[in-house]
Amino acid sequence: MLSSYIPVLVMVAGATIVALALIGLSALLGPRRPSASKDSAYECGVTPIGSARERFPVKFYLTAMLFIVFDIETIFLYPWAVNYKASGGLMFFNLVEMLVFVAILLVGYIYVWKRGGLEWG
Amino acid sequence: MTDLLNSPVWRDLFVNSADQIPWYAEFVRSLLRFVIALAGGLGSVPILVWLERRLLGFWQGRLGPNRVGPFGLLQPLADALKLMMKEDITPTNVDKTLYYLAPAIALVPVICSLTVLPWNSSSDWGAVAPHLNVGILFLLAVASIEVYGVILAGWSSNNKYSLLGGLRASSQVISYELGMGLSIIAVLLMTGTLAMQELVHSQTIVTNVPIPDSNYSVWTQSVSAGFWNWNIFKLFPFGLVAAVVYMISMIAETNRAPFDLPEAETELVAGFHTEYTSFKFAMFFMGEYANMMIVSAICVTLFLGGYTAPWGILGQLPASWTFFPSSVLNFVNHVVIAPAWLFIKLYTLISFFILVRASQPRLRYDMLMHFGWKVLLPTALANVVLVATSMALQQLFGAVGHFIAVGIAGCLATIVLWVAYLHWKARKSGDEASRLPIRRESVVRAIAARMPVED
């Protein structure tokens, strides 16, 4: 049973080695002729004004929070979906259960929509 | 020769099934499968780049790369070599650790998502991890790590364009991941399994072929199966809706046109990888193209029958060709024909996405987010509910149940479209009623008073 995860281990280790090797390769090969203007941030050729560690619109933060809510909901649906086909006589019961879950979710979704949580621009 | 083939080591490495061999034999096998997957996955990136540039050239009435090698086939390799020899610039004000790690964080999950992708029906050699029963769930988990590479690259570059590109990319990717996850649920409902091999088998009719001189067998596609068994045609139109939602989300996930806002060169220079040069840039590039190929391959596996043939008769050599030993027939069926069908479907799908890129204009960012959250997410959720409803009704009423579900879907769609139309009309007439006359009046007044227009 656990041996089915050996390939996953191999894959993660292998991919990491490949990626790190490529980064090392790019550092080793190629010339190195640094200059002050070459090493400054590229902002369309204009000398950068201030740092880029600025404030950015809070919308991105809100999107991330909404994503977590809805993604967890998606993940909750996965075990239900896998077992649904094999649920036999309980299928209708499972359907109603899921409908209740989705209905509760829908209330939240409509609330977010009405409060303008999904508006951009 | 027969001594070697019957030696215990050889049998452990290549013949016996996974539950009969020690863990180190499985480790060596995994390494071999990893190399196969890496060659197939990263090896097709140059082909894909070449195909895209040539096809874009064809559709835009120009030639595309045609100088390096026959038909320009070696152009991507020349580009890769050039990138490797370029100077590796590290700007002075970057966050060094994250700046160096970000390309790796973007590339590693892409390679890892190859783990569960099946390329033939062999239970030991059909994928890197053919026995992994969490399959598609592993894929989703790995795919969501990818976004870290993008946002870390954007943030660590300490460049305003990179930061905006990274933010846009991450919020776009996570928004469309919802539609993607929900469309996969529709498939899981129809098939009832997470394992990728079983997902493919559920889209065909399989026959069990015992392997001579061993105690296990392989699955072969039955000649009476074909494209009509694919998930995209199951529970029509719900399978189709799920497939379309998946395809749209996957274009958005890979940041490709018309959803390529994070790399909109007219606004953001090059987006999150503006500050990257040399092979670190190539890693983002490679990751993006490999990712495009992998999500397309998953689409093929979930909806288009994976490595099975559209007509069962094309999926294998005829069993009546007894002048070949059955082991040769099996070998050709599994090593040549099955992967060939996977690649044919894959490249057809990818060509379609290149056509989309060639013909569609880029969206505006607010439109993109509205589409993801207000159209794709509810559509996918409703589709999941309707698939489940259809299955429950079919259990109660037989085949009629599906038509009841389609009727419910039709009513729902009509109501939603009608409400959306009313909203659109009200807003449009509201605009005309409120804004335009005022503007006209103010213009008239301004002209009358010989004053500049204020609003």
Side-chain angles (χ1 to χ4, degrees), chain B residues 160-207:
Chain B
K160 288 149 202 130
Y161 293 99
S162 298
L163 181 69
L164 283 176
L167 285 173
R168 276 189 183 185
S170 49
S171 59
Q172 170 182 339
V173 167
I174 59 178
S175 300
Y176 280 80
E177 213 162 271
L178 297 173
M180 193 177 222
L182 284 169
S183 62
I184 291 174
I185 289 183
V187 175
L188 297 184
L189 279 171
M190 294 187 235
T191 53
T193 177
L194 286 167
M196 297 291 269
Q197 285 287 6
E198 286 171 43
L199 277 173
V200 176
H201 290 168
S202 71
Q203 298 178 64
T204 184
I205 301 164
V206 287
T207 45

Side-chain angles (χ1 to χ4, degrees), chain A residues 42 49 53 84 88 109 119, chain B residues 155 160 275 373-374 388 395:
Chain A
Y42 179 74
I49 301 169
R53 307 272 185 266
Y84 187 74
Y109 181 71
E119 298 300 327
Chain B
W155 185 81
K160 288 149 202 130
E275 291 296 344
W373 282 95
K374 293 182 173 176
Q395 201 189 43

Side-chain angles (χ1 to χ4, degrees), chain B residues 31-95:
Chain B
L31 273 179
L32 287 172
R33 294 188 300 235
F34 166 68
V35 172
I36 296 172
L38 202 65
L42 292 190
S44 6
V45 169
I47 303 170
L48 186 52
V49 173
W50 174 83
L51 184 76
E52 170 154 39
R53 292 180 64 183
R54 289 291 291 196
L55 279 180
L56 276 180
F58 173 72
W59 279 316
Q60 292 169 355
R62 56 192 175 83
L63 286 173
N66 65 347
R67 294 287 155 157
V68 190
F71 308 106
L73 261 172
L74 298 177
Q75 183 68 46
L77 293 181
D79 286 345
L81 209 63
K82 180 198 74 177
L83 278 170
M84 213 182 268
M85 292 300 167
K86 285 274 182 186
E87 180 173 355
D88 189 15
I89 301 171
T90 310
T92 41
N93 53 355
V94 297
D95 185 316

Side-chain angles (χ1 to χ4, degrees), chain A residues 5 7 11 22-23 26 31 33 38-39 41-43 49 52-53 67 77-78 84-85 88 109 118-120, chain B residues 34 85 87 91-92 100 111 115 128 140 155 158-160 174 181 190 275 279 366 370 373-374 378 388 395:
Chain A
Y5 286 88
M11 200 73 182
L22 286 178
I23 289 180
S26 83
R33 285 188 284 276
K38 196 193 270 178
D39 287 353
Y42 179 74
E43 296 186 354
I49 301 169
R53 307 272 185 266
F67 163 73
L77 282 178
Y78 267 72
Y84 187 74
K85 196 179 181 186
Y109 181 71
L118 306 177
E119 298 300 327
W120 285 76
Chain B
F34 166 68
M85 292 300 167
E87 180 173 355
T92 41
Y100 273 91
I111 300 179
T115 310
V128 179
L140 278 176
W155 185 81
N158 205 349
N159 176 327
K160 288 149 202 130
I174 59 178
M190 294 187 235
E275 291 296 344
F279 222 70
D366 60 329
H370 285 173
W373 282 95
K374 293 182 173 176
Q395 201 189 43

Side-chain angles (χ1 to χ4, degrees), chain A residues 60-117:
Chain A
F60 290 108
Y61 182 68
L62 189 62
T63 308
M65 277 185 12
L66 290 177
F67 163 73
I68 290 174
V69 173
F70 284 97
D71 202 40
I72 289 175
E73 163 252 325
T74 313
I75 292 302
F76 275 147
L77 282 178
Y78 267 72
W80 167 82
V82 173
N83 292 316
Y84 187 74
K85 196 179 181 186
S87 53
L90 284 174
M91 195 180 263
F92 203 76
F93 173 72
N94 283 354
L95 175 69
V96 173
E97 260 191 332
M98 194 272 296
L99 283 178
V100 171
F101 179 72
V102 170
I104 293 169
L105 188 97
L106 216 56
V107 174
Y109 181 71
I110 292 169
Y111 174 76
V112 171
W113 190 325
K114 285 286 159 203
R115 287 299 299 259

Side-chain angles (χ1 to χ4, degrees), chain B residues 10 15 64 92 103 112 130 201 213 242 246 291 323 356 359 417 429 448 454:
Chain B
W10 178 270
V15 183
T92 41
C112 285
H201 290 168
D213 303 330
Y246 181 90
N291 194 18
F323 40 90
V356 169
S359 56
L417 286 178
S429 62
E454 275 168 17

